[in-house]
C-alpha cells in the first residue's frame, strides 16, 4: 500500500455533449482539488449555484477517497458555444423587426440592425444546457484519482527522505555506544587520583590502598549507572525499526509516525542529559537535528 502525502493538486474537465453543442451549447465542467496538511479531514467546496444540491454526494465521495488533509474542491462551469452560426427562427426575426420599428419611431436617427447584430442576438437568447449530475460526479472521481496519484508520488519522496534519516540515526547510535566505557574509565582514573590527593592533603594514612581502590571502584560503578545510555539506545533502535516497518507497510500512518517521532526526541534528549563527553553531546545534537527534519516531513503524511 502506498504512503500518501496530504499535499497535492489535480484538475479534470468533462467532455461536452456533442448533441447539446449542436443545439444551443452546453456548460463544460472543470474541477480543481487542492490539498494541504491538517490533523483531520477538512473539506471545503466552491460550487456554482447550479450544483449546490450535489454537495452532500460530493462530500461523501471525498470522504471515501481521503482520510486527512484540508481539501478544497472547486468546480466551474464554462459555456461552450456551438461552432456554426445559429439559424434564426421566424418568431425571433419578427420580434426584432417590431422592436426596431418601435425604437426608430421614437429615435429616427437610430441605425438599422446589421445581420451580424441579429445573429448575435439570436445566439444570446439561447441558454446553455446545465451539466448532467452524473457527468459532474464522474469528473470529480477522475480528479480525485489524479489527486491520489500526485499524493502518492510525493509520499514516495517523503518515504525515501525518512529512510535516509533513519540510516543517519542508526549510524549515530553506533557512534555513541563505544564512548560510554571510555567515559567511565576516564572518570574512574580521575576519581582515584583526586581521592588520593584529598587523603594526602588531609594527612590521613589510616585507609589502606585496597580500601581506597574499592571505594574508587564503587564510585565509578555508581557513576556508570547514572550515565549508562544503553537503555535509551535500545529504545531508539526499537522506534527506528517500527518506523521503518510502518513505512514499508504504507497506508494511513501519519499519526502513528508523529507519536514515534516524539519518542525519538525524548530518547535523544535523555542521551544529551546523560552526556559526559563532548562527543556524546555532539551526537545528541546531530540526532535532534535529524529527528526534527523527520518530524517536519511526517506532518505531511496522511
Amino acid at each position: 500500500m502506498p504512503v500518501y502525502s496530504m499535499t497535492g493538486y489535480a484538475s479534470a474537465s468533462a467532455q461536452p455533449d456533442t448533441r447539446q453543442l449542436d443545439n444551443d451549447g452546453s456548460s463544460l465542467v472543470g474541477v480543481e482539488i487542492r490539498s494541504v496538511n491538517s490533523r483531520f479531514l477538512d473539506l471545503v467546496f466552491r460550487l456554482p449555484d447550479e450544483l449546490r444540491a450535489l454537495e452532500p454526494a460530493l462530500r461523501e465521495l471525498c470522504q471515501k477517497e481521503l482520510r486527512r488533509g484540508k481539501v478544497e474542491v472547486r468546480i466551474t462551469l464554462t459555456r461552450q458555444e456551438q461552432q456554426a452560426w445559429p439559424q434564426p427562427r421566424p418568431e425571433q426575426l419578427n420580434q426584432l423587426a417590431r422592436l426596431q420599428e418601435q425604437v426608430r419611431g421614437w429615435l429616427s436617427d437610430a441605425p438599422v440592425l446589421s445581420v451580424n447584430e441579429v445573429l448575435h442576438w439570436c445566439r444570446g437568447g439561447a441558454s446553455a444546457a446545465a451539466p448532467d449530475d452524473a457527468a459532474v460526479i464522474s469528473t470529480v472521481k477522475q480528479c480525485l484519482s489524479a489527486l491520489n496519484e500526485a499524493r502518492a508520488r510525493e509520499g514516495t519522496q517523503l518515504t525515501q527522505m525518512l529512510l535516509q534519516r533513519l540510516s543517519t540515526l542508526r549510524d549515530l547510535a553506533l557512534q555513541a555506544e563505544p564512548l560510554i566505557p571510555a567515559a567511565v574509565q576516564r572518570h574512574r582514573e580521575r576519581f582515584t587520583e583526586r581521592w588520593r590527593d584529598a587523603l594526602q592533603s588531609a594527612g590521613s594514612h589510616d585507609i589502606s590502598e585496597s580500601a581506597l581502590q574499592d571505594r574508587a571502584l564503587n564510585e565509578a560503578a555508581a557513576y556508570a549507572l547514572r550515565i549508562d545510555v544503553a537503555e535509551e539506545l535500545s529504545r531508539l533502535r526499537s522506534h527506528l525499526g517500527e518506523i521503518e516497518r510502518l513505512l514499508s507497510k504504507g497506508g494511513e500512518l501519519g499519526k502513528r509516525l508523529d507519536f514515534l517521532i516524539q519518542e525519538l526526541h525524548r530518547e535523544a534528549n535523555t542521551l544529551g542529559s546523560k552526556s559526559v563527553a563532548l562527543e556524546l553531546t555532539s551526537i545528541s545534537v546531530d540526532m535532534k537535528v535529524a529527528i526534527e527534519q523527520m518530524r517536519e516531513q511526517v506532518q505531511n503524511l496522511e
Side-chain angles (χ1 to χ4, degrees):
M1 185 179 297
V3 176
Y4 291 101
S5 169
M6 284 188 286
T7 303
Y9 170 83
S11 63
S13 59
Q15 295 297 325
D17 192 335
T18 56
R19 293 173 299 178
Q20 291 178 338
L21 287 178
D22 291 338
N23 184 16
D24 292 323
S26 67
S27 293
L28 176 65
V29 180
V31 180
E32 288 184 320
I33 303 181
R34 292 179 174 86
S35 174
V36 296
N37 60 329
S38 177
R39 293 183 61 190
F40 308 101
L41 181 59
D42 182 9
L43 296 172
V44 178
F45 292 89
R46 312 290 186 190
L47 307 178
D49 293 337
E50 298 93 324
L51 302 179
R52 289 293 181 188
L54 280 179
E55 181 172 334
L58 296 177
R59 184 177 295 274
E60 182 179 357
L61 179 61
C62 291
Q63 289 173 343
K64 290 180 180 179
E65 296 293 331
L66 307 172
R67 297 295 179 267
R68 293 177 63 199
K70 184 173 182 179
V71 182
E72 178 182 328
V73 180
R74 182 182 297 273
I75 301 180
T76 57
L77 300 178
T78 305
R79 178 181 172 84
Q80 298 294 299
E81 300 289 357
Q82 59 186 10
Q83 298 299 321
W85 286 102
Q87 297 296 322
R89 298 189 298 272
E91 58 270 20
Q92 290 178 319
L93 296 176
N94 289 334
Q95 184 180 6
L96 277 177
R98 289 194 301 269
L99 291 174
Q100 179 176 252
E101 183 178 354
Q102 183 178 358
V103 171
R104 287 177 61 82
W106 287 92
L107 303 172
S108 58
D109 294 335
V112 178
L113 288 173
S114 66
V115 175
N116 185 57
E117 290 171 338
V118 171
L119 292 176
H120 275 290
W121 188 90
C122 293
R123 169 177 289 180
S127 59
D132 182 65
D133 289 352
V136 175
I137 293 178
S138 176
T139 308
V140 173
K141 287 182 178 179
Q142 178 184 350
C143 195
L144 281 172
S145 178
L147 177 68
N148 277 332
E149 290 177 2
R151 285 159 53 116
R153 287 193 298 270
E154 183 169 344
T156 300
Q157 296 177 357
L158 293 178
T159 299
Q160 294 301 321
M161 190 282 295
L162 291 173
L163 291 175
Q164 292 175 1
R165 297 299 181 273
L166 290 179
S167 178
T168 299
L169 289 171
R170 285 194 174 99
D171 291 342
L172 290 172
L174 287 175
Q175 296 175 27
E177 277 185 333
L179 296 177
I180 303 303
V184 173
Q185 180 62 29
R186 286 197 301 270
H187 173 75
R188 177 185 301 175
E189 295 172 356
R190 185 166 57 251
F191 176 81
T192 302
E193 181 181 353
R194 290 182 178 179
W195 181 259
R196 184 182 294 106
D197 292 343
L199 290 178
Q200 289 178 355
S201 62
S204 298
H205 302 285
D206 298 335
I207 302 177
S208 64
E209 184 70 20
S210 60
L212 176 63
Q213 187 69 18
D214 290 340
R215 179 64 183 273
L217 291 175
N218 290 335
E219 289 291 334
Y223 180 74
L225 291 176
R226 291 196 301 271
I227 67 172
D228 185 19
V229 294
E231 185 177 352
E232 284 76 12
L233 292 177
S234 177
R235 285 197 297 263
L236 187 140
R237 288 195 185 91
S238 176
H239 297 329
L240 295 179
E242 179 64 11
I243 292 175
E244 188 172 13
R245 186 190 70 81
L246 289 174
L247 290 174
S248 62
K249 180 181 178 182
E252 186 181 352
L253 45 78
K255 292 182 178 180
R256 297 183 66 181
L257 287 182
D258 188 49
F259 171 76
L260 289 171
I261 292 299
Q262 294 179 25
E263 294 300 309
L264 285 178
H265 202 275
R266 182 178 292 111
E267 304 304 337
N269 277 334
T270 305
L271 179 65
S273 64
K274 290 185 175 183
S275 174
V276 293
L278 184 61
E279 297 87 345
L280 275 176
T281 301
S282 177
I283 289 175
S284 174
V285 171
D286 291 341
M287 281 185 172
K288 291 179 183 178
V289 171
I291 293 170
E292 181 63 22
Q293 291 172 345
M294 293 178 66
R295 186 191 67 82
E296 292 176 355
Q297 300 305 324
V298 164
Q299 298 296 322
N300 293 321
L301 292 180
E302 186 177 62

